[in-house]
Amino acid sequence: MNRDREKRESELIKLISAEKLPKHVAIIMDGNGRWARKQGLPRIAGHREGMNTLKEIITCANELGINVVTLYAFSTENWKRPSWEVEFLMRLPEEYLKTELQPLIEKNVVIRVMGDLEQLPAVTKRAIKNALQATKDNTGMILNFALNYGGRSEILNAVKKIAERVQEGALKPEEISEDLFTRYLYTGDLPDPDLLIRPSGELRISNFLLWQLAYTELWFTTTLWPDFKKEHFLKAILDYQERERRFGGINKI
Ligand code: IPE
Ligand code: IPE
Ligand code: MG
């Protein structure tokens, strides 16, 4: 079965056009709980399996030459979950980085994290700080984790910072342009995502990158994140390459 999959993957790779690669791919890693339930396992087993998917997809994105991958790992709303699940999720970045940091350093990957990091447990913060420090001078793919991230909260933070600058007299209200506003978001210096992938069958954004997704191509699948493989990722890229992006204009008359 694995050999079949490898064959399908290499067929798909041949179809991908290197010139039309999305520069920035955002992914809502969803469906871990349902995957576990289907296997008769506790929800946390789904999160652990989801980590294997994460590794596979990051490797694939890096091999393809994608510049930025943003992954939704924990939302500002996920605190509503039972404490045992939140605690488990909070330990995952540390667990992930324990084995993955070194290979990522070797692949010249830059790790970034966006969200309200203050609220995270000290060990998680420490592991993240170490990873940011260890990869900050790398020049390859940007691997951007959204952790305790909420799109609305990100926008409000930007508004507050801009309001302060106006109050100080450093900025005039008429100088607040879309470009300026964009620079106050966590993703300040990153291009907007070209492609958003959401597994698990949910057809919603769940407070992810509300500003940045304005013209992003959306790709949904009912496959659950732990079952999501390289071939799904390649399929999403291929579908993206077939899309006609108009940004409100017209391409052909
Ligand atoms: C995604 O899987 C992981 C996080 C949100 C942290 P879920 O845990 O949401 O899985 P489902 O949606 O319950 O299946
Ligand atoms: C979105 O998934 C958040 C992450 C994947 C981190 P959720 O499972 O929290 O989203 P909803 O609740 O189904 O909208
Ligand atoms: Mg979910």
Side-chain angles (χ1 to χ4, degrees):
M1 203 184 95
N2 273 351
R3 187 158 302 158
D4 281 355
R5 193 156 79 209
E6 274 168 32
K7 195 157 165 258
R8 287 199 300 275
E9 285 166 5
S10 66
E11 293 298 317
L12 288 168
I13 286 183
K14 279 188 225 146
L15 298 172
I16 288 180
S17 138
E19 296 86 60
K20 280 170 74 183
L21 274 181
K23 289 190 172 59
H24 183 174
V25 179
I27 307 177
I28 302 177
M29 305 188 282
D30 195 20
N32 296 350
R34 276 163 283 173
W35 181 89
R37 197 172 148 167
K38 265 175 56 187
Q39 322 280 321
L41 296 169
R43 290 180 58 83
I44 55 172
H47 298 314
R48 177 147 288 133
E49 191 57 34
M51 225 158 53
N52 291 330
T53 299
L54 178 68
K55 293 174 197 167
E56 178 167 330
I57 299 311
I58 290 169
T59 304
C60 180
N62 192 40
E63 281 167 7
L64 285 174
I66 290 168
N67 300 346
V68 188
V69 179
T70 295
L71 296 147
Y72 205 3
F74 192 90
S75 77
T76 46
E77 287 71 36
N78 288 147
W79 295 104
K80 292 178 194 163
R81 297 186 179 204
S83 59
W84 51 266
E85 181 169 348
V86 169
E87 276 162 31
F88 184 85
L89 288 168
M90 285 298 149
R91 277 206 305 271
L92 282 185
E94 194 200 357
E95 192 179 317
Y96 170 77
L97 289 166
K98 207 176 279 169
T99 58
E100 294 311 297
L101 181 57
Q102 197 50 41
L104 290 171
I105 293 174
E106 282 157 24
K107 287 179 187 151
N108 197 22
V109 168
V110 184
I111 297 177
R112 303 224 326 212
V113 178
M114 61 173 189
D116 182 358
L117 305 184
E118 271 313 299
Q119 282 181 57
L120 305 180
V123 279
T124 315
K125 276 195 269 197
R126 213 163 24 240
I128 291 169
K129 209 173 146 201
N130 177 42
L132 300 182
Q133 179 64 25
T135 62
K136 71 174 181 8
D137 296 325
N138 286 355
T139 53
M141 185 175 87
I142 296 175
L143 181 55
N144 184 28
F145 288 99
L147 249 183
N148 194 19
Y149 170 89
R152 287 186 172 178
S153 133
E154 177 185 35
I155 290 172
L156 274 188
N157 280 339
V159 169
K160 283 179 200 159
K161 281 191 234 146
I162 292 171
E164 276 167 22
R165 301 223 60 205
V166 171
Q167 203 171 33
E168 291 160 11
L171 190 67
K172 295 194 190 79
E174 58 273 23
E175 287 169 343
I176 306 172
S177 61
E178 289 189 11
D179 274 350
L180 179 130
F181 189 80
T182 299
R183 289 201 297 276
Y184 279 82
L185 298 171
Y186 294 129
T187 48
D189 56 336
L190 301 177
D192 286 340
D194 300 297
L195 171 65
L196 171 79
I197 297 174
R198 181 165 194 163
S200 94
E202 307 300 355
L203 305 177
R204 55 176 170 262
I205 300 302
S206 301
N207 203 15
F208 194 36
L209 300 171
L210 296 181
W211 172 276
Q212 299 88 334
L213 293 178
Y215 270 104
T216 302
E217 295 296 327
L218 310 178
W219 195 86
F220 296 100
T221 172
T222 52
T223 302
L224 304 170
W225 179 245
D227 287 329
F228 190 96
K229 303 288 169 209
K230 189 172 166 178
E231 63 173 315
H232 300 98
F233 188 66
L234 296 171
K235 217 72 229 310
I237 307 269
L238 275 172
D239 283 352
Y240 165 82
Q241 297 193 325
E242 295 290 310
R243 305 265 181 104
E244 189 189 325
R245 303 187 78 188
R246 288 190 291 275
F247 301 96
I250 40 178
N251 290 345
K252 297 183 206 98
I253 303 174

